[in-house]
Amino acid sequence: MSKGDFIKKPDRRFKLLVLTQGLWVMTLVILALWWGTLLKQQSDEIAKLQTQLGVPESQVQSRLDRNERMIEGESGTFIILILVTNGILLFFYARDTRRSRSLEAFFASLTHELRTPLTSIRLQAEALRDIEDNPKHTPYLIRLLEDVGRLEGQVQQTLELARIEGGGELTAQSIRIKTFIQNRIVPQYTLNDSRLVFDLSLEECFVQADPSALIMIFRNLIDNAIKYSSDSPTRISFRGRPTDSAYHLDVIHENSKFLADERSLGRLFYRGSNSQGAGVGLYLIQSLVEKMKGKAKFSPDNHRFSAHLELLRTPEEVNHGL
Amino acid sequence: MASRILLVEDEINLGSTLQDRLGHEGFAPRWVKSAIEAQSVLSKESFLLALLDVNLPDGSGFDVARVIRADHPKTAIVFLTAAGSPEDRIHGLELGAEDYIVKPFHYKELLLRIQNVLKRAQFVDEGRSDGAWIKIGRAQVSFQEYQLLLDGGKHSLSHKECALLKLLNEKRGQVVSRDEILNLVWSEDEYPTPRTIDNFILRLRKWIEPDAESPTFIRSIRGVGYLLEKEPS
């Protein structure tokens, strides 16, 4: 199995900040020392000139001593202020980073803990649906399953957001994209819901991607299509073609009610004009695709929402002529 | 006879629901709630499939998987877990799991994936003659024992090595395409590349060929797949 990391180590940002801060402090301290030394030299020169001009030596010496004390005191205070200020800044940054990481860890652990009871609720609701023969109960069971599905989606998004924001890594694997969508994505919806129709006009190709990230990306897009669909069944088209190094995939939802400013789509917490969500889904899609060294673009045009994903192709495929 | 399934799940509601539903599907599930209980059951009974939760109160499903790999190589392993990070998934598959299912999942999806795993396990199992050792190249192979005899030493074969070798052996003298290999030997969650198959073939050649650098038994057929030559009569 080919695998590799897509992204940087989680604490690299903090290390880079400490290094930059350290260099900045060192530059300021060296400059302060340099200006202090220069001022002392100037003071000595002035004292020499004053002596040559006939000012009494005791008076010159007394002024020189006073000037040197002042220069030393002010330079020292300046250096101490630089060090203290930077120390305080680093302390607050480290504290905030720690708090933010604790929060991320809390959300990650909470959502992780929610997954098992959610599975249990889903399986029991599915069992009831499968054995229930009173048609009066069916709508309630369908609604229960829909709500469980929505809750699962939210939990999954929160967990992924915490993971991505915490610098979580993705693992690159070679995936046959058409087979993946046919076998792993479409059945998740068509096995339980007949109100969705998929059109797969895809060319088969190996892409470098993380399978969990791909599932999250497609689930978000399909869930959005269901949420903003203005007709039933909801029709979603997958169109894909490879180029030399990339695979271009369009996920298109016709008859979408979603209204948004195209330039703001993909920004964290941007919810569009009529959004029912938290503004996390498209941001996650963009972040995940970028972490897989690809690109994502969204176009909400005239009752049609399309997501254009550019994914990396697996080089091995070319060698094997598959 | 119903397929025996070991279910290791510490969450009571989930465990009992799965036990009921799998039972109704015609499987024979044996539900235990901890790693120790699982190890105790495994010391007395054998199963066709093990469904393992990863986070258990007294250990990890990965530890149970290691016991299964060592003592019950024929038991297929599927992880059912809330830990869906790429690292966990890779770790699970490296331990020889056939599949890695992240919670929450749909029951029908679970069922499909169990059936796929059992179909692959059945492929390795079917048509074998009990205890038979088959000569392939310079090695003797037992598909029943998942073992290979070479120079007086025994080597354990993984499920995939065994399935790949069996597929080639069944079609001796014929070309087996890469697609056929991918469909029969790998699970949907593993996303193998053509290079993955090559790596497995390289490993098999080291055991089977007198000179792995110049293979005479497992031949590559460019652009198509592989061919296992017939034994000279």
Side-chain angles (χ1 to χ4, degrees), chain B:
Chain B
M1 202 173 77
S3 302
R4 303 199 69 223
I5 295 179
L6 173 67
L7 170 64
V8 187
E9 172 60 64
D10 63 319
E11 171 70 29
I12 305 293
N13 289 344
L14 181 57
S16 59
T17 309
L18 278 175
Q19 177 170 252
D20 288 351
R21 297 220 75 189
L22 291 172
H24 283 122
E25 296 294 335
F27 296 109
R30 173 87 156 85
W31 172 34
V32 296
K33 302 173 194 71
S34 67
I36 289 187
E37 222 182 317
Q39 289 177 17
S40 150
V41 167
L42 281 165
S43 66
K44 291 172 241 155
E45 301 170 41
S46 59
F47 300 88
L48 207 53
L49 171 71
L51 294 174
L52 308 178
D53 184 14
V54 173
N55 291 317
L56 296 167
D58 57 345
S60 155
F62 293 142
D63 299 331
V64 181
R66 281 190 198 96
V67 173
I68 294 174
R69 268 294 140 264
D71 301 339
H72 303 271
K74 286 201 283 184
T75 304
I77 298 169
V78 171
F79 285 108
L80 292 182
T81 173
S85 75
E87 299 80 24
D88 290 322
R89 198 176 60 233
I90 297 290
H91 186 46
L93 294 174
E94 277 173 354
L95 278 172
E98 284 285 303
D99 211 340
Y100 194 95
I101 303 173
V102 180
K103 295 172 185 173
F105 49 82
H106 296 234
Y107 177 67
K108 284 181 184 169
E109 185 196 353
L110 171 71
L111 208 56
L112 267 179
R113 287 163 83 168
I114 288 177
Q115 282 159 353
N116 284 342
V117 168
L118 291 179
K119 197 173 75 187
R120 283 197 300 276
Q122 198 187 357
F123 165 71
V124 178
D125 243 24
E126 73 194 6
R128 64 180 163 79
S129 46
D130 285 353
W133 288 86
I134 298 158
K135 188 170 185 321
I136 303 179
R138 63 189 186 111
Q140 299 278 337
V141 181
S142 164
F143 295 119
Q144 188 204 3
E145 304 291 331
Y146 288 73
Q147 282 186 330
L148 179 143
L149 273 180
L150 179 67
D151 301 331
K154 265 187 183 178
H155 299 267
S156 289
L157 292 171
S158 71
H159 265 235
K160 286 188 179 57
E161 288 160 353
C162 204
L164 178 54
L165 202 49
K166 185 167 186 281
L167 177 62
L168 292 171
N169 184 55
E170 277 184 358
K171 302 211 165 183
R172 270 194 183 211
Q174 298 170 42
V175 181
V176 183
S177 72
R178 288 175 186 279
D179 275 348
E180 205 173 345
I181 295 174
L182 288 174
N183 291 338
L184 275 165
V185 181
W186 268 267
S187 94
E188 284 168 9
D189 252 12
E190 290 168 286
Y191 316 111
T193 64
R195 184 66 53 81
T196 318
I197 302 174
D198 294 344
N199 289 338
F200 270 81
I201 293 286
L202 279 178
R203 214 174 307 159
L204 294 178
R205 277 179 177 153
K206 278 182 192 160
W207 286 321
I208 284 159
E209 302 285 351
D211 176 9
E213 299 290 314
S214 322
T216 50
F217 285 96
I218 304 179
R219 283 177 44 214
S220 307
I221 308 297
R222 197 174 164 74
V224 186
Y226 292 95
L227 176 147
L228 178 63
E229 289 286 358
K230 286 182 177 166
E231 285 290 328
S233 50

Side-chain angles (χ1 to χ4, degrees), chain A residues 5-276:
Chain A
D5 298 335
F6 279 119
I7 59 164
K8 60 183 186 281
K9 296 273 180 243
D11 60 344
R12 204 168 136 191
R13 209 183 321 169
F14 184 68
K15 280 184 186 161
L16 193 70
L17 183 95
V18 171
L19 187 76
T20 332
Q21 194 81 347
L23 282 172
W24 174 240
V25 169
M26 217 159 71
T27 313
L28 284 180
V29 169
I30 289 169
L31 269 179
L33 289 171
W34 168 247
W35 282 108
T37 313
L38 202 70
L39 279 172
K40 275 176 91 174
Q41 278 174 0
Q42 294 297 315
S43 193
D44 282 345
E45 289 295 322
I46 291 167
K48 274 182 204 160
L49 283 173
Q50 281 177 335
T51 312
Q52 282 168 13
L53 286 170
V55 180
E57 193 153 333
S58 59
Q59 208 178 336
V60 171
Q61 191 58 46
S62 143
R63 277 183 194 163
L64 182 65
D65 290 347
R66 206 168 51 235
N67 281 347
E68 282 191 347
R69 277 201 303 277
M70 194 180 73
I71 291 165
E72 280 168 8
E74 285 181 6
S75 299
T77 312
F78 181 62
I79 290 169
I80 290 168
L81 275 176
I82 292 170
L83 293 175
V84 169
T85 317
N86 278 282
I88 290 171
L89 275 176
L90 271 181
F91 168 76
F92 281 116
Y93 182 82
R95 200 184 64 172
D96 282 353
T97 307
R98 230 180 4 252
R99 275 187 187 167
S100 147
R101 284 194 180 157
S102 306
L103 269 175
E104 279 161 11
F106 167 73
F107 280 116
S109 121
L110 178 74
T111 46
H112 183 269
E113 287 305 312
L114 282 173
R115 279 174 159 183
T116 300
L118 266 175
T119 313
S120 183
I121 295 170
R122 165 170 286 287
L123 291 190
Q124 288 170 75
E126 284 178 349
L128 276 175
R129 181 198 56 195
D130 294 348
I131 59 173
E132 181 61 59
D133 45 15
N134 184 344
K136 279 184 185 169
H137 296 168
T138 311
Y140 300 107
L141 285 168
I142 289 173
R143 276 177 232 158
L144 174 63
L145 281 165
E146 277 175 1
D147 287 343
V148 170
R150 274 173 52 196
L151 195 54
E152 281 169 2
Q154 292 301 321
V155 164
Q156 193 57 29
Q157 274 192 357
T158 313
L159 184 65
E160 200 58 25
L161 185 65
R163 207 171 75 78
I164 292 293
E165 293 299 299
E169 294 182 13
L170 299 183
T171 306
Q173 294 182 31
S174 280
I175 294 174
R176 285 186 289 180
I177 188 72
K178 186 178 179 183
T179 309
F180 184 88
I181 294 171
Q182 265 172 345
N183 295 350
R184 297 297 314 278
I185 306 297
V186 173
Q188 280 191 27
Y189 292 89
T190 49
L191 281 175
N192 292 296
D193 198 337
S194 57
R195 292 168 301 168
L196 268 172
V197 176
F198 290 98
D199 166 24
L200 304 183
S201 307
L202 293 155
E203 283 182 47
E204 186 67 293
C205 180
F206 278 101
V207 297
Q208 279 298 102
D210 178 292
S212 303
L214 274 189
I215 290 175
M216 167 65 78
I217 289 167
F218 293 132
R219 276 194 72 163
N220 270 335
L221 289 172
I222 296 168
D223 290 345
N224 272 357
I226 296 169
K227 211 186 300 176
Y228 298 107
S229 186
S230 60
D231 63 354
S232 185
T234 303
R235 288 176 195 279
I236 299 164
S237 309
F238 285 83
R239 290 177 196 156
R241 65 189 163 79
T243 56
D244 282 350
S245 60
Y247 188 82
H248 297 268
L249 176 64
D250 290 297
V251 184
I252 302 158
H253 172 219
E254 304 286 354
N255 298 319
S256 168
K257 288 187 293 189
F258 184 57
L259 302 171
D261 169 26
E262 186 171 341
R263 285 165 305 172
S264 307
L265 281 175
R267 241 176 33 204
L268 184 58
F269 304 133
Y270 175 71
R271 303 178 63 218
S273 322
N274 61 341
S275 176
Q276 298 161 23

